[in-house]
DNA sequence: GCGGTTTTGGGTAACGTTTCCCATCGGGTG
DNA sequence: CACCCGATGGGAAACGTTACCCAAAACCGC
């Protein structure tokens, strides 16, 4: 039994000694900084490899850079986030940055604050906030402490960039699709929202808005029928129950999110109604399960990968220049028609 | 326009000055260390609140502790991980530790190494590896650099603790359930595995093993029928195609994972077979979508929340004493019968 | 060859904590 | 009353890296 190897980690000093140069020189090579000859670079790199040196992120952080980017996502369960994340990591793959996810509690401002504070404490170089529920003021506070990009919140800011999908257009496409199929009585299930800022900024509100506008512009103002519940399976179930109790039942239901559509489908099955024979159903987000054979849900696809890629790009730009003018990127969704929508019963 | 506020962050020195004490004293209060009178604590805490001080994690990291725990999860898409994560965060909620997720690329050893190295570089106090695909040697290397707990890998180690679910028992329960319903020709779709270590350690291999054992012990050795594909929707689709081409078709298919079952269902629908009328289907993991009305998939539930809680507990214990004897926790799964399984056709 | 510029390399002081030590002060003990 | 002890507080040296300097050498055009 040898002593259990205290194993001091290799530091920049070890590398410098091994390569017979100064620590300054090693640091320059590490950061591709100016002032190191090709021979020096080669020599240092060899030493780094031989010793298996890896820079200590804490020490770097103390000096200003951690090469770490934080992504706050409020609910890992939301099957739409992975796409965004892939977009982010793909964009960052070639850089020295490492991505870490901070799990915000589901739609919980407190938890969100805890995570973002933790990211700032850890000196992360930049953070991406995905569909945050925090107040506008809070977002600005965060963004003034660290370069930030906000995904999925409509509404401008002077300190952070935003990337959103055009929810109004998406909702309109869906309504258009249903109308093309011959539907007129099209109902919508929305996520209930009271806070005025959020009504203006949150995607759910925008979808409801898009629904209203589309109905009106297609001459169906009379038929607008919105049920307010939540973006959950239960919310969909409840909403569908309410809609089924209407004297004139809708022939199509546009659920504000795929998960809501799942609840709707359950309620319809329970009521003995067939989809799409008796009633059409559509969701939003084109989540993984929407494509599963037994479900085959008509939905709207947000360009998740592109959203993530853009967010990462904007963040890098902002890290490079913290005072550049904020940018708003708005991407366009696409309709994905599947088997839950069909012409209404004759 | 005022100058855009350079806004130096409040440091321990500021707090010390404001409270008229030494930085040492502040540090002691922060860490609840010995050597500070109640009055001093009160005074310091007041100063901390008044100034809105938050300790710099990088500086702390340089001295040894970062109060950060890393969770490596190979594939955020896997809907089973959120449960584990909840278990972890719930257990850690009362502590000072903050959890960050490192996104390993899907089943990619390289990506896994990158993430774990990044965690070690950042001086994380401990890490939890969820269903890692890395080699045994690599896991031991990681664990010797930082306290670690491995989730979902059977097989002991002298340096890290493990938490697993009893996959053999779970598979056996499922086979038992199908046999009870009257099935005999029960096929299994497994995730193809060649590496010998993994065959012994990975859950997929254990499930296949459990299937074999259960079939044999129920006198159905003759009926053992395994198709090797992958744990993906396509894998399920392919596997089902192969099984349907058999001269004697199975009356039930036990897919090694829920996502595989989705592919199976799709292939069956295509073939015009009804579920469970013509053929029963079961999955494993009890993922969120398994409970959706139109799917209603019979599955096996791993106690995800408990798995996470145990992992967190073991990690804290190991952080407290790095050389404590390794512990292996094995939890028991439960069967969740739903509508995709029924007696075989007469 | 000579001033001046550019290139190359290194010395050293931060960065914000923690931790090891030592100093002081009451008060209890012999 | 001398001595010791525990409790309380602080000084100062790390931790590993980067960035601001400055020095020396090499190169340049005339």
């Amino acid at each position: 039994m040898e002593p259990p190897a205290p194993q001091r980690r290799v530091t920049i000093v070890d590398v410098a000694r091994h390569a017979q140069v100064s620590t300054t020189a090693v640091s320059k090579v590490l950061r591709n900084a100016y002032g190191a000859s090709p021979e020096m670079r080669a020599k240092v790199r060899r030493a780094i490899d031989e010793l298996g040196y890896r820079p200590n992120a804490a020490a770097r952080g103390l000096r200003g850079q951690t090469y770490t980017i934080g992504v706050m996502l409020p609910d890992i369960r939301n099957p739409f986030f992975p796409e965004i994340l892939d977009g982010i990591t793909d964009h960052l793959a070639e850089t020295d940055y490492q991505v870490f996810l901070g799990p915000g509690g589901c739609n919980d401002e407190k938890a969100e604050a805890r995570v973002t504070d933790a990211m700032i404490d850890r000196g992360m170089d930049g953070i991406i906030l995905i569909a945050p529920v925090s107040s506008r003021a809070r977002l600005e506070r965060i963004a003034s402490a660290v370069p930030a990009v906000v995904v999925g919140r409509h509404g401008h800011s002077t300190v952070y960039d935003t990337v959103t999908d055009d929810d109004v257009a998406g909702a309109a496409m869906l309504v258009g699709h249903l109308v093309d199929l011959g539907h007129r009585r099209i109902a919508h299930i929305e996520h209930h929202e009271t806070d005025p800022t959020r009504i203006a900024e949150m995607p759910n509100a925008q979808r409801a808005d898009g629904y209203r506008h589309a109905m009106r512009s297609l001459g169906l103002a009379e038929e607008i029928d919105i049920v307010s519940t939540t973006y959950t399976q239960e919310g969909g179930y409840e909403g569908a129950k309410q809609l089924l109790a209407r004297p004139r039942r809708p022939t199509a239901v546009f659920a504000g999110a795929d998960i809501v559509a799942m609840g709707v489908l359950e309620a319809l099955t329970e009521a003995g109604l067939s989809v799409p024979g008796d009633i059409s159903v559509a969701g939003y987000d084109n989540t993984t399960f929407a494509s599963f054979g037994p479900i085959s849900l008509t939905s709207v696809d947000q360009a998740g990968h592109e959203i993530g890629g853009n967010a990462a790009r904007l963040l890098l730009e902002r890290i490079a220049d913290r005072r550049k003018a904020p940018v708003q990127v708005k991407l366009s969704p696409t309709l994905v028609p599947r088997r839950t929508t069909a012409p209404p019963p004759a």
Side-chain angles (χ1 to χ4, degrees), chain A:
Chain A
M1 281 277 193
E2 72 270 45
Q7 279 210 59
R8 206 177 51 80
R9 209 180 137 112
V10 177
T11 76
I12 202 172
V13 180
D14 300 320
V15 175
R17 189 167 27 228
H18 191 257
Q20 318 237 50
V21 298
S22 69
T23 58
T24 302
V26 178
S27 177
K28 282 177 183 169
V29 173
L30 280 172
R31 295 171 295 121
N32 283 314
Y34 177 83
S37 63
E39 302 86 57
M40 156 128 309
R41 287 186 191 285
K43 196 163 50 168
V44 170
R45 267 196 243 285
R46 187 145 25 84
I48 288 175
D49 286 345
E50 284 175 18
L51 295 164
Y53 166 75
R54 293 184 60 94
N56 178 318
R60 284 182 145 184
L62 205 48
R63 297 291 309 171
Q65 263 206 288
T66 55
Y67 299 92
T68 310
I69 284 177
V71 175
M72 195 280 297
L73 64 181
D75 173 19
I76 16 154
R77 259 165 254 270
N78 188 327
F80 171 54
F81 294 138
E83 303 292 332
I84 299 182
L85 191 65
D86 278 352
I88 296 172
T89 49
D90 284 358
H91 193 94
L92 260 31
E94 298 306 311
T95 71
D96 283 334
Y97 289 101
Q98 171 66 39
V99 174
F100 282 112
L101 274 50
C106 189
N107 291 350
D108 174 356
E109 283 200 52
K110 278 264 179 50
E112 234 176 74
R114 183 177 158 167
V115 174
T116 48
D117 279 344
M119 289 179 171
I120 295 170
D121 294 344
R122 278 154 189 80
M124 295 198 173
D125 296 334
I127 71 185
I128 295 176
L129 301 162
I130 300 186
V133 294
S134 296
S135 74
R136 181 67 172 278
R138 168 89 198 144
L139 296 181
E140 306 246 338
R141 273 260 315 284
I142 295 171
S144 69
V146 57
V149 174
V150 173
V151 172
R153 280 275 284 252
H154 303 262
H156 299 198
S157 157
T158 55
V159 281
Y160 55 79
D161 306 290
T162 60
V163 182
T164 53
D165 206 71
D166 192 338
D167 291 290
V168 171
M173 284 169 59
L174 202 41
V175 171
H177 165 68
L178 291 168
V179 169
D180 285 349
L181 286 172
H183 291 273
R184 292 181 53 84
R185 260 172 291 143
I186 303 167
H188 176 59
I189 301 180
E190 71 169 357
H191 181 89
H192 186 60
E193 196 72 76
T194 52
D195 183 280
T197 327
R198 294 224 207 119
I199 286 187
E201 296 195 350
M202 299 292 279
N204 43 318
Q206 299 265 313
R207 289 173 195 174
D209 251 26
Y211 161 80
R212 270 189 224 98
H213 274 97
M215 290 293 278
R216 268 198 284 272
S217 68
L218 291 168
L220 298 172
E222 304 288 304
E223 305 286 358
I224 290 177
D225 185 1
I226 298 183
V227 176
S228 265
T229 61
T230 57
Y231 274 10
T232 60
Q233 199 177 348
E234 298 73 43
Y237 184 86
E238 281 310 311
K241 286 266 188 197
Q242 289 183 37
L243 287 173
L244 291 179
R246 298 273 197 264
R248 287 176 71 233
R249 221 169 54 198
T251 61
V253 177
F254 161 28
D258 284 355
I259 186 75
V260 177
M262 291 301 109
V264 172
L265 291 178
E266 196 162 343
L268 296 182
T269 310
E270 257 187 47
L273 293 169
S274 84
V275 174
D278 296 319
I279 190 165
S280 286
V281 176
Y284 203 109
D285 286 342
N286 193 29
T287 42
T288 325
F289 58 79
S291 70
F292 291 166
I295 293 178
S296 190
L297 178 71
T298 293
S299 191
V300 175
D301 186 75
Q302 306 192 46
H305 197 271
E306 273 184 76
I307 291 178
N310 273 283
R313 180 177 57 79
L314 291 176
L315 188 60
L316 291 184
E317 289 172 15
R318 181 156 295 282
I319 289 174
D321 174 14
R322 293 197 49 157
R323 44 187 45 184
K324 78 167 173 122
V327 177
Q328 284 83 36
V329 172
K330 188 183 257 187
L331 299 168
S332 297
T334 26
L335 181 71
V336 184
R338 293 206 185 85
R339 295 198 298 269
T340 53
T341 50

